[in-house]
Amino acid sequence: MFSFIVGLFWFLVFAGGGIYLAYNRINLLASSIAVGAALVAYSLFGSASALWLIFLWLAYVPLIIANLEDFRREKISRPALAIYRKMLPSMSDTEREALEAGSVWWDGELFSGMPDWDKLMSSPVPVLSDEEQAFMDGPCEELCRMLDDWDISHHRSDMPTEVWAFIKKHRFFAMIIPKHYGGLEFSAYANAMVITKLSSRNTTAASTVGVPNSLGPAELLLHYGTEEQKDRYLPSLASGDEIPCFALTSPHAGSDAAALIDNGVVCKGTWQGKQITGILLNWDKRYITLAPVATVLGLAFKLYDPDHLIGDQDEYGITAALIPTDTEGVTVGRRHNPLNIAFQNGPTTGENVFVPLDYIIGGQEMAGKGWKMLVELLAVGRAITLPSSAAGGSQAASWSSGAYTTLRKQFGISIAKFDGVGEALARIGGHTYIMNAAVAVTAGAIDQGEKPAVPSAILKYHCTELGRKVANDTMDVHGGKAIMMGPKNYVARGYMATPIAITVEGANILTRSLIIFGQGAIRCHPFVLRELQAAQNENKERGLTEFDDALFSHIGYAISNTARAFFLALTHAKFSNVPLNTPTRRYYQNINRYSAAFALASDFAMLTLGGKLKIKELLSARLGDVLSAMYLASTVLKHFENQGRRASDLPLVEWSVRTLMYHAQEQLHSFLQNFPNRPIAMMLRIFIFPRGRTYSAPSDALGRKVVDLMTSSGEARDRLSQQAYTTLEPGNPLGLLQEALLLSEAMAPLENKVRQAQKDGVIHSTYLGQQIDEAESADIISKAQASQMRDYHQKVLDILAVDDFAPEDFGRSGSVEKTASAKPAKASRKTKKKVASKKKVAKKKVASKKKKKAS
Ligand SMILES: Cc1cc2nc3c(=O)[nH]c(=O)nc-3n(C[C@H](O)[C@H](O)[C@H](O)COP(=O)(O)OP(=O)(O)OC[C@H]3O[C@@H](n4cnc5c(N)ncnc54)[C@H](O)[C@@H]3O)c2cc1C
């Protein structure tokens, strides 16, 4: 017995001590001394056999070597670096620029396996300034009031002239432009909130306003433009006199945008009567938002200089320039029809367009820097416009679905009370909360100077995917009401628009498969980028020193993550440090656990698969899902704190984090299941899931709590849809639904009375209208109460109603005049010529047919 206790003691000293040192990342020297001291003590006082002691001392040798820097550098790091250089995956300049763009923020902490929560929790709460709030309450509210989706989408296929004028007058296009150029100079948070609000009302307006405030000429000029270019364009972009668009995509180059073949050749030419050195451009672009009405085109093309007129390079690579659309040879005006959503989108071509060199954004010295500019700006822009649009649509969906499913009754009760409908409702509410949190917290970080490249990809992908889920669920819980198109349908347009957000700014399958983890693994990993840069260092000796340092830090980090992943999984992370002792503390601990597990899995994936991980898209996609789940769950926790830790929001927080972390668990499990190196996968499973998959998805009871807060008026419901346009007015379904919901709550006691009277056999009708009459006659309710009930009943009927049309309304010809664009599309001379020649050909064909017939 005594020897067992002694054995246990020494086991605890070594195993417990080892885990303690690794778990807490005690530095190499201190750890080596501690282990050495324990070995000496064991050798002196333990009862181990000589053979066992020899084995232990031999196992200690690597630790000693790791402390001998010169020795390890020459004998270990130098050969390792040679192998590493051979293994390095080939990387194009465009890939390198994408990897190096932006900054590393909370994503880096999650990648570390030991997140420092203070970094997230200490970031300031994003708030609107008085001016920004006044804009939200004033022009933004007014613009929402002016938007009539049916009129815009069905009749006009465009916004009315007065809406365009209002947008320009109130400088909606100038949220990112500094005040001294006439812009609004709003924070990223305010920009996001404006887009959120507009999206809750109308997708066309939100897209039209979103694009100039995202990646486009203004943003490019602000960061890279020359002073002349800024002075020339920014004031007129701010006032709306210039309408911008940005043209990158072409028939050949979609997801692989860098493969574009649109080109510019440096040559001599005549410009305003003078011989100058300029660029002769040819392009064929498609899918370009605002192109049909644009006056200035941000153009991405490849620049060539075969005659070496500006330097000694033949080819400069992707370059961005600003081209006024009235330049000779430019064609804009034709429109695509993006899923019947009426924002302006179309192709543009340029045929032998000659422009001066100073049309390049940033001037001649920025020739070939176009791709770098774009990926740097995407690091910010991708986190704002599309995620906010998804959040805005979802806020409207949460608001409307909560009210509608309460007002709509089947089988005698509100459909929200059925668990099946409730499950969909909980998803709508929970997913909306996640989007709100991700948008607000990330925009707040951008306002603190971050350019969060990886989080922006996470937001782009996940908010638009969650938006699609919300749109699907909203369709389902509304039934036929959401299917019958017409002015009374407030759901279907958002549903139809969701694939647009999925496709633009990096289509989602690609973003998930290649970008989130692919970029994150290198960018956010504490050592991988350092190792990569060291290996590429032209000064070989300095490169070796840097590589040696990164390599041994990396080994220590991997050992630590193994210990952390195992200990945290074994203990359900119950003892891990968290920033707050609140009801949400367990969720912080869950994230701590998955952070270590993710870091461990990532390291082994990179170690065993190397460059092949790039091709194994599903493995990196699943790791990206784990990183994303942790990131989004962290923003939920931070958002909850930012909003004052309101107890009534707790069900939303719990539902959101549980859903996300359950997904993280399942994706990590699928990753291990599909990992090609089976022994490594089995070993990883022991460390990551020693107790199996113990994390569960939200319970039905938790889902019901979410449904309750969505279906009853109150602060939690209000906060969930805080930016949505819910003003009570005739044309606003969100306002009318809320009015009816409030009335339903007020009328509930009267309805109970009527129901009781029906049960008691005092009234006999089954139709509510008649029941009210009977209840009034039988003095069960007063005359005034009966009138209130009738009023409420009518309002509910109006909300449940759908549109119908006369058969002739379906002929498009009937609405041709109305369909004419309020702002006529600008047809270039070339387009006009094309149309005229097509007409000529058609006339000739008809004439020859007639001739044939006659003969
Ligand atoms: C409404 C709308 C507005 C737009 N506005 C603009 C604009 O203003 N300016 C502009 O320049 N462009 C714009 N675009 C273009 C948009 O950015 C592209 O549509 C997008 O990049 C995808 O290109 P693609 O449509 O050619 O799809 P493809 O590249 O053909 O992709 C098809 C599918 O394959 C997937 N895929 C491709 N490669 C991979 C891979 N390696 N791994 C996994 N999956 C992959 C994609 O994710 C996608 O699901 C707009 C597009 C739309 C629809």
Side-chain angles (χ1 to χ4, degrees), residues 134-441:
F135 188 81
M136 287 286 280
D137 299 339
C140 200
E141 182 84 4
E142 183 57 30
L143 177 57
C144 287
R145 189 167 298 126
M146 294 168 80
L147 299 166
D148 173 347
D149 183 71
W150 184 249
D151 179 50
I152 290 172
S153 304
H154 187 73
H155 292 313
R156 298 173 186 270
S157 297
D158 195 1
M159 296 184 296
T161 320
E162 58 274 18
V163 170
W164 277 100
F166 187 88
I167 286 175
K168 289 176 187 175
K169 180 177 165 207
H170 290 279
R171 314 213 159 206
F172 276 87
F173 289 152
M175 286 192 277
I176 57 168
I177 299 180
K179 285 196 170 133
H180 63 271
Y181 291 111
L184 294 172
E185 201 175 338
F186 279 176
S187 60
Y189 179 64
N191 184 352
M193 294 304 106
V194 170
I195 301 295
T196 304
K197 183 160 190 141
L198 294 180
S199 288
S200 75
R201 177 69 167 155
N202 181 264
T203 13
T204 301
S207 307
T208 307
V209 169
V211 167
N213 287 295
S214 184
L215 185 67
E219 184 80 336
L220 287 163
L221 282 174
L222 282 168
H223 288 87
Y224 309 102
T226 61
E227 287 312 310
E228 292 78 18
Q229 288 171 337
K230 288 181 190 172
D231 291 342
R232 173 174 172 195
Y233 281 112
L234 289 176
S236 43
L237 285 170
S239 65
D241 292 337
E242 296 271 17
I243 302 286
C245 69
F246 188 76
L248 172 67
T249 306
S250 58
H252 297 278
S255 297
D256 186 10
L260 52 85
I261 55 169
D262 311 288
N263 58 76
V265 179
V266 180
C267 59
K268 299 274 181 202
T270 310
W271 179 254
Q272 295 173 348
K274 282 187 198 153
Q275 271 285 306
I276 61 159
T277 301
I279 313 168
L280 191 66
L281 289 159
N282 280 284
W283 71 85
D284 176 12
K285 302 284 192 184
R286 64 177 183 181
Y287 304 163
I288 311 304
T289 301
L290 288 183
V293 294
T295 60
V296 58
L297 189 82
L299 183 76
F301 60 94
K302 282 195 178 144
L303 185 71
Y304 300 90
D305 182 16
D307 299 331
H308 293 189
L309 296 175
I310 58 169
D312 50 12
Q313 282 173 249
D314 289 333
E315 189 182 332
Y316 282 81
I318 296 176
T319 302
L322 287 187
I323 316 289
T325 55
D326 57 5
T327 311
E328 180 77 39
V330 179
T331 306
V332 289
R334 289 190 64 76
R335 289 179 66 177
H336 296 304
N337 181 359
L339 290 172
N340 276 343
I341 310 297
F343 64 92
Q344 297 280 343
N345 183 287
T348 166
T349 54
E351 217 175 287
N352 295 329
V353 180
F354 185 73
V355 296
L357 280 166
D358 63 12
Y359 275 26
I360 295 176
I361 297 171
Q364 191 180 318
E365 71 210 50
M366 293 304 274
K369 302 271 193 305
W371 189 250
K372 191 175 157 63
M373 292 177 182
L374 295 180
V375 289
E376 276 180 3
L377 296 187
L378 267 183
V380 171
R382 226 181 344 208
I384 298 177
T385 311
L386 294 170
S388 315
S389 303
S394 302
Q395 288 194 12
S398 289
W399 188 261
S400 64
S401 302
Y404 181 84
T405 54
T406 308
L407 301 171
R408 173 69 173 160
K409 292 185 175 146
Q410 288 293 284
F411 306 98
I413 54 170
S414 295
I415 57 170
K417 300 265 183 239
F418 297 117
D419 283 348
V421 175
E423 188 184 36
L425 275 178
R427 278 197 300 264
I428 296 172
H431 289 153
T432 304
Y433 193 82
I434 295 171
M435 284 181 256
N436 287 346
V439 168
V441 172

